[in-house]
């Protein structure tokens, strides 16, 4: 089974509460999402391997720690994934980026694909797929399927809110992919929305409703 990490940092929890509030404006929602994504990125990369290289400080030579291996890949599940992506790129500007365009059919709740573009050499890189919401997990599961078909072997999934139903479905589909989330909510309602949730993440980010 894939493991689940709930990031309980007080700043994450405080910012998330403001985002959940329906009175929070579109502009504030976007700003908070970008800020939270920095903190979540810190957690999802906490155990990256280090190597060392010799550098000279103004005082002396030293073996200084640097990240080992190839550049990371962040895979944004459009549209709302871009809200997490931007803050993560603030923290790791050298990361490569994959875009997976999916929307949820409102009747069937199936994920419908409309775009896919990823770096060609995913095999040797850590790929972190990002989407604020893990509801039924249809979108996240399809996105990870596609990334695996493109060669990704070492994956993590990062979201803001997860429903228990989504965690169970994602773990069944991708038991090898650890999940990182800022909160584990109560359940999905009859329309597939996370409760208590924050509403439709894409609409709240871009003011489309
Ligand atoms: C939202 C969200 C996820 C998906 C989660 O996207 O950003 O991608 O729903 O639901 P699921 O786990 O049941 O698949 P949406 O389809 O609304 O598209 P958008 O990001 O373009 O708004
Ligand atoms: N997608 C969203 O944006 N919000 C939900 O609660 C569920 C899916």
């Amino acid at each position: 089974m894939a493991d689940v990490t709930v990031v309980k940092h007080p700043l994450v929890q405080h910012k998330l509460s403001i985002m959940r509030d329906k009175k929070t404006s579109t502009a504030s929602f976007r700003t908070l999402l970008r800020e939270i994504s920095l903190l979540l990125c810190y957690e999802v990369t906490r155990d990256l391997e280090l190597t060392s290289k010799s550098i000279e400080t103004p005082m002396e030579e030293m073996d200084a720690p640097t990240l080992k291996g190839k550049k990371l890949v962040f895979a944004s599940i459009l549209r709302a994934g871009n809200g997490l992506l931007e803050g993560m790129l603030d923290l790791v500007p050298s990361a490569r980026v994959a875009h997976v365009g999916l929307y949820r059919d409102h009747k069937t709740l199936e994920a419908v694909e409309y775009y896919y573009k990823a770096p060609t050499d995913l095999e040797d890189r850590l790929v972190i797929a990002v989407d604020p919401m893990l509801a039924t997990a249809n979108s996240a599961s399809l996105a990870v399927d596609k990334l695996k078909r493109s060669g990704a072997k070492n994956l993590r999934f990062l979201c803001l809110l997860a429903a228990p139903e989504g965690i169970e479905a994602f773990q069944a589909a991708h038991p090898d992919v650890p999940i990182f989330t800022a909160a584990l909510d109560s359940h999905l309602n009859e329309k597939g929305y996370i409760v208590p949730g924050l509403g439709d993440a894409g609409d709240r980010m871009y003011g489309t409703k």
Side-chain angles (χ1 to χ4, degrees):
M1 272 292 165
D3 54 306
V4 181
T5 303
V6 180
V7 180
K8 294 194 174 133
H9 193 291
L11 286 175
V12 170
Q13 295 304 318
H14 180 82
K15 287 174 192 293
L16 180 56
S17 296
I18 305 173
M19 291 180 73
R20 287 181 189 272
D21 188 334
K22 66 180 185 187
K23 294 196 292 297
T24 296
S25 69
T26 300
S28 301
F29 189 91
R30 268 206 303 268
T31 304
L32 286 157
L33 184 52
R34 193 165 182 145
E35 290 169 358
I36 280 194
S37 58
L38 286 172
L39 299 161
L40 294 176
C41 185
Y42 180 83
E43 290 295 335
V44 78
T45 56
R46 180 181 273 285
D47 63 351
L48 291 188
E49 270 192 83
L50 290 170
T51 182
S52 64
K53 74 170 187 186
S54 178
I55 61 163
E56 272 183 56
T57 78
M59 311 304 290
E60 66 171 11
E61 244 183 58
M62 72 172 283
D63 281 332
T66 56
L67 289 174
K68 193 175 174 184
K70 291 200 174 180
K71 305 263 184 292
L72 304 183
V73 175
F74 297 150
S76 170
I77 303 175
L78 304 175
R79 293 175 291 175
N82 275 2
L84 285 174
L85 172 71
E86 285 171 18
M88 292 180 70
L89 285 174
D90 288 344
L91 206 57
V92 189
S94 63
R96 306 302 193 233
V97 176
H99 290 95
V100 188
L102 300 176
Y103 70 86
R104 218 165 62 133
D105 182 292
H106 284 293
K107 285 209 177 84
T108 64
L109 301 184
E110 292 300 323
V112 182
E113 185 188 339
Y114 60 87
Y115 185 77
Y116 181 77
K117 185 84 179 175
T120 48
D121 54 348
L122 296 184
E123 291 80 8
D124 315 321
R125 300 176 188 270
L126 172 62
V127 179
I128 303 175
V130 300
D131 189 329
M133 312 302 272
L134 186 68
T136 63
N138 288 340
S139 307
S141 297
L142 178 57
V144 169
D145 275 342
K146 292 195 64 69
L147 292 162
K148 284 183 174 173
R149 268 185 256 136
S150 297
K153 293 188 171 63
N154 184 12
L155 281 133
R156 296 176 186 185
F157 178 75
L158 173 65
C159 61
L160 205 52
L161 297 186
E165 296 90 331
I167 298 267
E168 197 183 326
F170 188 80
Q171 285 181 326
H174 298 291
D176 55 318
V177 180
I179 300 167
F180 292 75
T181 182
L184 188 48
D185 272 13
S186 165
H187 63 279
L188 293 181
N189 72 9
E190 65 293 347
K191 290 187 172 155
Y193 278 85
I194 299 175
V195 181
L198 52 71
D200 186 300
D203 284 345
R204 293 205 60 195
M205 276 175 64
Y206 297 118
T208 41
K209 211 175 217 172

